[in-house]
Amino acid sequence: MSVICLSCTQIPCPADSLDVDCDMMRSTFKIQSGNCLGTVFFMAETLTNPPVPGEGRCLMVTAAHVLSDMPSSNATIFFRVKEGTGYKKLPWEIQIRANGVDLWTRNPRADVAMMRVSLPPNADINLFSDGMFADDQFLSDFRIHPGDELRILG
């Protein structure tokens, strides 16, 4: 049975959780600019040199329309910080445009955008890596077939 983790929930996931549902939720956050809201998730850029909160950058992934609809050059991501047995919101402002030019990259064939972002030093986050994506060998090894139940981050 999975524990459901929401932003600033009173039902926290353990920091050392191996539960994929918890791990997905711990890498997903709200982003806001003006009245425009969306969600983003974060990935380590490489497996060999993962970013450390406060010391490095990682990849922010979201729907391209989330960032393109945002009215200003800045947006706020609402990270979480551990406080006692619960969590507290940690607003973190990022720049998404400079002089009217987007700082993020849009996939030309899908509604997906990515951008490198620095993490706040005390954020409670679990970074996914590209090694978490399933390829043909993974699907074969784990006998995943059409009709099997899937969970998708995003």
Side-chain angles (χ1 to χ4, degrees):
M1 182 166 144
S2 300
V3 176
I4 298 173
C5 302
L6 302 173
S7 179
C8 302
T9 183
Q10 296 303 311
I11 307 170
C13 281
D16 60 352
S17 170
L18 293 177
D19 186 314
V20 173
D21 295 334
C22 271
D23 291 342
M24 286 189 333
M25 291 307 296
R26 288 186 60 229
S27 70
T28 304
F29 301 90
K30 179 173 93 171
I31 187 170
Q32 181 174 4
S33 179
N35 290 329
C36 186
L37 300 172
T39 57
V40 296
F41 71 92
F42 291 88
M43 293 180 55
E45 195 165 2
T46 66
L47 288 172
T48 56
N49 191 21
V52 175
E55 296 179 13
R57 292 165 21 132
C58 62
L59 297 174
M60 177 182 79
V61 182
T62 189
H65 73 268
V66 168
L67 297 178
S68 65
D69 290 352
M70 294 201 159
S72 73
S73 295
N74 295 324
T76 302
I77 301 169
F78 293 92
F79 288 95
R80 293 174 296 273
V81 62
K82 185 86 166 140
E83 190 172 86
T85 59
Y87 295 89
K88 179 176 113 176
K89 284 185 182 180
L90 176 63
W92 185 255
E93 190 168 301
I94 62 166
Q95 187 175 10
I96 59 172
R97 288 184 198 88
N99 300 318
V101 177
D102 294 335
L103 299 176
W104 43 276
T105 302
R106 176 192 301 254
N107 182 302
R109 295 179 302 274
D111 186 24
V112 176
M114 294 180 84
M115 178 179 161
R116 287 185 178 88
V117 174
S118 292
L119 299 173
N122 51 344
D124 178 71
I125 185 169
N126 183 52
L127 295 174
F128 274 82
S129 71
D130 57 2
M132 296 290 292
F133 294 130
D135 59 12
D136 289 340
Q137 188 61 50
F138 176 91
L139 297 175
S140 175
D141 290 347
F142 287 91
R143 297 184 178 157
I144 297 174
H145 303 94
D148 289 347
E149 183 177 334
L150 290 178
R151 295 195 176 141
I152 300 171
L153 178 63

